[in-house]
Amino acid sequence: MKYIYLTFISAFILTSCGGEGKKSIEDIIATNDLELIRTKKSELEISAQEISEKLKQLEQSIKSLDPQEKIPLITTFHAKEAVFNHFVELQGNVNTKQNLVIYPEFSGVLTQVYVKEGQKVSKGQMLAKIDDGGLSQQLSQLKIQTALAKTTFERQERLWNQKIGSELQYLQAKAAYEGQLEATKQLQQQVGKTVVRAPFSGTIDDVITEQGSVVAPGQSMLFRIVNLDDMYIETEVPERYVSDIVKGKEVKVEFPVLGKKIDAKVRQAGNFINPANRTFKVEVAISNKNKDIKPNLTAKLNINNYTNPKAILIPQSIISENAEGQQYVYTITNKVENKAKVKREFIETGKTQGDYIEVLSGIDNNEEIIVEGARSVKDGQDVKVLNIEDEN
């Protein structure tokens, strides 16, 4: 355009100079006549201004008549197949199956407490002792009687084997010995109940009853023991996901209080639908090596309920809808260099994830879709592509 301007102005100036006594600019300058030079300069400035105005009018007329000057500018991206994982967001609480309050099995005075809060204990370790009320002495006497019954039985057995003595004497000695053994075992079990032991390895979270207190079975809480190794999150899932969320599904777990995120899997999916709220329970096993995850801690769960290995995802913002409720996007065809033609494609959409939505039909892999300018173009319109943005 600048070249046209310069050519036009030069031709005009030359024509003007030629009409004034056939004198060129060089001839006027050669006269060294200041007034003549200034007069000629003023004439040319006026002529140049008039030419500039006329050129502007011509340019506006060209823009209104030339269709190439009206082509809108757009940007596009290529639709590409990718793995699409959809997640259901839920909330759950941390639990452990080894979180237990220990009760006594024997009534009496709590004579000894061998552990304190925060202490780690092993399975079977002695935690406390309850006064047995004289059962230990009874057991000692019973053991002596059992030893005597054993000796009597063994002697009677030897005689019987030598065909000496009656069978009745042998059977009476045997019955007496076996009765003493059974009585001893029962009393040993009773005495064993006076010792409180750890049912599993873990940590004493709370010492509830102090030494010297009178305790009773099923009434007095002695200790709370917790094992933070076998932790899991329990949540309730709406019944519509009963066939999608099953054992082994991927789960992204977040603990907002701890600022911690971990990957896990569904350990168990319940088979019972709660009629009160139409949900089923799901357990998600979690690792707790640092022991920073505590029972009843709140967790956010994103459970994978759908996977499409060849999904096409597009921004939701570029989708339009007609009066019949049909969704569509604009693509480009017949592309030559940076010029192309707009084509409207009706689509069927699926699940969403963030700002993107899955396209089930209507868009092919590698098809070029309009992004910027999608709201201002029409089907069949010519467009100019500025650049290609691969959004996926």
Side-chain angles (χ1 to χ4, degrees), residues 14 16-28 31 36 40:
L14 290 173
S16 300
C17 294
E20 188 180 337
K22 303 294 183 181
K23 288 185 178 181
S24 66
I25 297 298
E26 290 78 6
D27 293 337
I28 295 174
T31 62
L36 181 59
K40 193 60 180 178

Side-chain angles (χ1 to χ4, degrees), residues 52-69:
S52 178
E53 293 295 329
K54 291 177 180 178
L55 287 173
K56 288 181 180 179
Q57 294 176 7
L58 292 172
E59 185 178 354
Q60 292 176 357
S61 178
I62 290 172
K63 286 184 178 181
S64 64
L65 296 174
D66 187 355
Q68 293 298 322
E69 296 293 334

Side-chain angles (χ1 to χ4, degrees), residues 135-340:
L135 289 182
S136 297
Q137 290 80 1
Q138 295 180 29
L139 180 60
S140 298
Q141 293 176 3
L142 196 57
K143 285 181 178 179
I144 294 173
Q145 295 174 5
T146 302
L148 177 60
K150 180 181 180 183
T151 302
T152 302
F153 167 67
E154 289 174 348
R155 183 174 299 176
Q156 196 65 40
E157 186 179 31
R158 286 195 299 270
L159 292 174
W160 174 249
N161 291 334
Q162 297 173 9
K163 305 299 181 180
I164 302 173
S166 66
E167 182 180 5
L168 180 61
Q169 291 175 325
Y170 167 71
L171 294 176
Q172 287 176 338
K174 181 180 179 181
Y177 173 56
E178 290 177 348
Q180 287 295 115
L181 279 178
E182 192 64 30
T184 301
K185 289 180 181 178
Q186 290 180 0
L187 194 55
Q188 282 178 331
Q189 290 177 354
Q190 286 294 104
V191 174
K193 291 180 179 180
T194 65
V195 178
V196 182
R197 299 183 182 276
F200 52 81
S201 299
T203 302
I204 300 298
D205 190 62
D206 190 11
V207 177
I208 303 172
T209 303
E210 298 297 331
Q211 182 173 306
S213 302
V214 178
V215 297
Q219 298 180 15
S220 306
M221 297 185 292
L222 302 182
F223 310 97
R224 177 179 290 277
I225 182 172
V226 179
N227 188 339
L228 298 181
D229 292 330
D230 186 19
M231 305 291 286
Y232 69 95
I233 301 171
E234 187 175 73
T235 186
E236 294 182 341
V237 182
E239 65 175 336
R240 64 179 178 273
Y241 299 113
V242 69
S243 60
D244 299 325
I245 297 179
V246 295
K247 181 179 178 180
K249 281 288 187 177
E250 179 186 354
V251 184
K252 296 183 182 298
V253 182
E254 179 183 358
F255 300 98
V257 174
L258 302 178
K260 182 176 182 177
K261 296 181 180 180
I262 61 174
D263 293 327
K265 292 184 180 295
V266 173
R267 179 170 71 182
Q268 179 181 340
N271 298 312
F272 172 75
I273 304 296
N274 187 342
N277 56 11
R278 311 307 304 174
T279 62
F280 64 97
K281 289 186 177 181
V282 165
E283 287 185 8
V284 178
I286 55 174
S287 175
N288 191 23
K289 294 181 180 179
N290 298 328
K291 305 293 190 276
D292 55 347
I293 302 174
K294 312 295 183 183
N296 299 316
L297 192 66
T298 300
K300 289 184 179 180
L301 305 176
N302 283 286
I303 306 178
N304 173 229
N305 69 312
Y306 172 79
T307 298
N308 185 349
K310 292 184 178 181
I312 292 178
L313 302 178
I314 64 172
Q316 297 187 59
S317 59
I318 68 172
I319 299 177
S320 300
E321 189 173 307
N322 61 17
E324 287 75 28
Q326 296 174 301
Q327 293 180 317
Y328 61 90
V329 294
Y330 287 111
T331 62
I332 61 171
T333 59
N334 303 327
K335 185 178 180 183
V336 179
E337 295 182 350
N338 66 336
K339 301 291 194 320

Side-chain angles (χ1 to χ4, degrees), residues 83-126:
V83 177
F84 173 51
N85 291 312
H86 185 268
F87 293 87
V88 177
E89 185 173 330
L90 300 167
Q91 183 170 300
N93 292 320
V94 176
N95 288 313
T96 174
K97 293 187 182 297
Q98 294 186 327
N99 178 12
L100 183 67
V101 174
I102 301 176
Y103 288 83
E105 296 182 273
F106 192 84
S107 297
V109 177
L110 192 65
T111 56
Q112 293 290 334
V113 175
Y114 301 109
V115 294
K116 57 185 178 179
E117 293 179 1
Q119 181 177 336
K120 293 183 179 180
V121 296
S122 302
K123 181 179 180 180
Q125 181 176 333
M126 184 183 295

